[in-house]
Amino acid sequence: MNDVASKAKVTVTMDGSNRSAELPLITGTIGPAVADIRKLYADLGIFTYDPGYGGTAACESKITYIDGDQGVLLYRGYPIEQLAEKSTFLEVAYLLLNGELPTAAERTEFDRGVMHHTMLHEQLRRFYDGFRRDAHPMAVMCGVVGALSAFYHDSLDINDPEVRRISAFRLIAKVPTIAAWAYKYSIGQPFMYPRNDLGYAANFLYMMNAVPTVPWQDNEILTRAMDRILILHADHEQNASTSTVRLAGSTGANPFACIAAGIASLWGPAHGGANEAVLKMLAEIGHVKNIPDFLARVKGKDGHARLMGFGHRVYKNYDPRAKIMQQTCHEVLAELGIQDDPLLDLAQELERIALSDDYFVSRKLYPNVDFYSGIILKAMGFPTSMFTVLFAVARTVGWISQWREMIEDPSQRIGRPRQIYTGAAQRDYIPAERR
Ligand code: ACO
């Protein structure tokens, strides 16, 4: 971070008074400059107002960069397209956590280090019996990930760097097991214990799909597609769930509790729940001929209908992840021998019509990462309720990287926003008989 206060600043003057405040301008490596408003309240007695934080930098970070207008996404400086094509999820995890790509030796050690932790404490297995069979797997994720805090008392001292390292490994390794077991529990099949001889993505597909009675056959194309989906979802700067993790972590809460908070935040349909919502929307539209009626409802804002999988708080251009998803979608459908998928046809037609419709064009609403991911996951046999869970598996790496960065940042303070109070002014209590 470059504090260029001596050269550049923003001066805020209060109308009708001679009071003003000088706000230093801070620049990062790339991206817009940021006015440091910390002294605004002290100097002028005013807060800033930014609901949804669309214009607020809440922290300094070296992890992920997004240029929403250009449709650029970089992890530690590397374009997402290059990582999706050339890297693997665990290598990306190393990159996000440590800042640099690993050497071959570092990578082997890291892969082994993470995979070593894939098993769950056997007592944690019994937690699943406490859930209804029809519980949403995200409810199970929130509960079981939060419960990890009760099993790793040696990993709760967040001020110890070694504790932070091992917690990161544990979370990244165990989240796929927790997720796959949530699914197995819901369908009444035996839990499959992790296999560390398989890679990260292959092991996840194994725990999801294998049964003890039939030999498991790994599929290279599907494993690669899963690995790519994990890479695309690994981090995305200060989105709602990551900010939730940082806010929870700013209080000194343990990492397992913080990641559970992130999972809860991700669950909403405006965030990680969107790919599930896309499939529901496509099913509701049903046929290409119904698209105009559906879009008319969206544009008329009837019942808050939205074109799910479209629009993004930051991207005002094509989400670069959506392009890779679209390509992966074709690869997966070809591998599975699905020549004509009515859902894909419907999605492509919907995209084509929306991208030429003035309502979406003028608001810069483009497909986001979730528009195609649901179709891929459905083709791979994932039930819709598991879509957001898969997102949580991938994002755990981003959350834990951001959490570690926050803890190691000397300027970190407890997150404590202020408000514009619009409730009643001070008044006296009135006894019930006089109200
Ligand atoms: N369909 C129809 N209209 C939309 C959509 C949409 N998907 N998204 C935004 N708009 C409209 C809004 O109604 C608003 O129109 P108005 O100016 O006439 O009132 C305008 O575009 C701006 O929308 P905001 O809600 O202010 O945009 P915001 O940045 O707050 O929302 C969000 C971003 C939540 C992602 C939104 O675009 C949305 O709900 N999309 C659908 C859900 C979705 O796909 N979420 C996944 C996001 S990616 C991720 O989390 C991995």
Side-chain angles (χ1 to χ4, degrees), residues 28-33 61-80 96 235-238 314-315 320 402:
T29 328
I30 31 179
S61 180
K62 293 183 170 58
I63 301 176
T64 293
Y65 174 75
I66 303 172
D67 182 332
D69 292 327
Q70 299 301 320
V72 171
L73 170 60
L74 311 175
Y75 290 167
R76 299 282 190 183
Y78 295 102
I80 190 68
L96 289 171
D235 194 50
H236 212 229
E237 209 235 58
Q238 308 311 319
V314 180
Y315 292 118
Q402 300 264 355

Side-chain angles (χ1 to χ4, degrees), residues 201-222:
N203 173 53
F204 181 50
L205 289 177
Y206 163 79
M207 290 189 293
M208 282 288 300
N209 299 314
V211 286
T213 46
V214 182
W216 169 248
Q217 195 60 49
D218 197 10
N219 178 309
E220 214 179 298
I221 304 264
L222 300 188

Side-chain angles (χ1 to χ4, degrees), residues 233 236 239 266 268-275 277-278 298-299 301 305-316 319 321 359-360 363-365 368-371 391 395:
H233 287 90
H236 212 229
N239 55 81
L266 185 75
H271 191 9
N275 52 10
V278 169
V298 167
K299 292 190 279 183
K301 303 211 162 69
R306 285 203 161 189
L307 178 51
M308 300 311 285
F310 257 67
H312 197 274
R313 170 56 62 80
V314 180
Y315 292 118
K316 302 302 167 197
D319 178 341
R321 303 167 301 171
Y359 174 93
F360 297 95
R363 289 171 178 76
K364 300 188 175 165
L365 300 170
N368 60 47
V369 67
D370 289 321
F371 195 66
F391 193 157
R395 187 56 60 86

Side-chain angles (χ1 to χ4, degrees), residues 91-327:
E91 185 175 69
V92 167
Y94 183 100
L95 175 69
L96 289 171
L97 280 166
N98 300 307
E100 296 297 336
L101 287 168
T103 62
E106 285 167 340
R107 199 182 134 174
T108 307
E109 196 192 326
F110 180 78
D111 286 10
R112 205 181 298 127
V114 170
M115 294 307 283
H116 174 72
H117 291 281
T118 51
M119 275 201 300
L120 300 185
H121 193 293
E122 200 56 17
Q123 266 176 276
L124 208 57
R125 199 189 149 101
R126 294 195 215 137
F127 275 53
Y128 287 82
D129 294 332
F131 289 101
R132 283 170 52 134
R133 288 268 177 213
D134 60 356
H136 195 289
M138 283 299 275
V140 179
M141 294 292 288
C142 288
V144 179
V145 172
L148 288 176
S149 336
F151 287 82
Y152 298 104
H153 294 287
D154 63 329
S155 297
L156 302 183
D157 177 9
I158 60 162
N159 297 314
D160 180 343
E162 181 53 17
V163 161
R164 295 199 293 270
R165 192 189 66 83
I166 197 113
S167 302
F169 276 27
R170 282 183 173 142
L171 276 157
I172 295 166
K174 291 180 198 304
V175 158
T177 314
I178 295 171
W181 286 13
Y183 172 59
K184 288 293 190 186
Y185 181 74
S186 73
I187 56 170
Q189 283 188 1
F191 294 164
M192 298 302 288
Y193 284 86
R195 270 186 51 189
N196 295 354
D197 59 317
L198 302 171
Y200 191 88
N203 173 53
F204 181 50
L205 289 177
Y206 163 79
M207 290 189 293
M208 282 288 300
N209 299 314
V211 286
T213 46
V214 182
W216 169 248
Q217 195 60 49
D218 197 10
N219 178 309
E220 214 179 298
I221 304 264
L222 300 188
T223 299
R224 182 70 195 127
M226 176 51 57
D227 202 64
R228 198 175 288 160
I229 291 171
L230 295 173
I231 292 173
L232 294 182
H233 287 90
D235 194 50
H236 212 229
E237 209 235 58
Q238 308 311 319
N239 55 81
S241 56
T242 303
S243 298
T244 302
V245 170
R246 279 188 178 258
L247 199 54
S250 77
T251 68
N254 74 71
F256 306 106
C258 294
I259 302 304
I263 292 171
S265 171
L266 185 75
W267 193 354
H271 191 9
N275 52 10
E276 187 175 340
V278 169
L279 277 205
K280 282 191 188 139
M281 174 190 75
L282 292 176
E284 188 193 318
I285 298 173
H287 194 276
V288 171
K289 71 175 179 356
N290 299 327
I291 292 176
D293 277 355
F294 176 74
L295 289 184
R297 267 206 294 136
V298 167
K299 292 190 279 183
K301 303 211 162 69
D302 174 20
H304 309 289
R306 285 203 161 189
L307 178 51
M308 300 311 285
F310 257 67
H312 197 274
R313 170 56 62 80
V314 180
Y315 292 118
K316 302 302 167 197
N317 200 327
Y318 219 105
D319 178 341
R321 303 167 301 171
K323 282 194 190 136
I324 305 166
M325 275 297 181
Q326 193 183 26
Q327 184 200 328

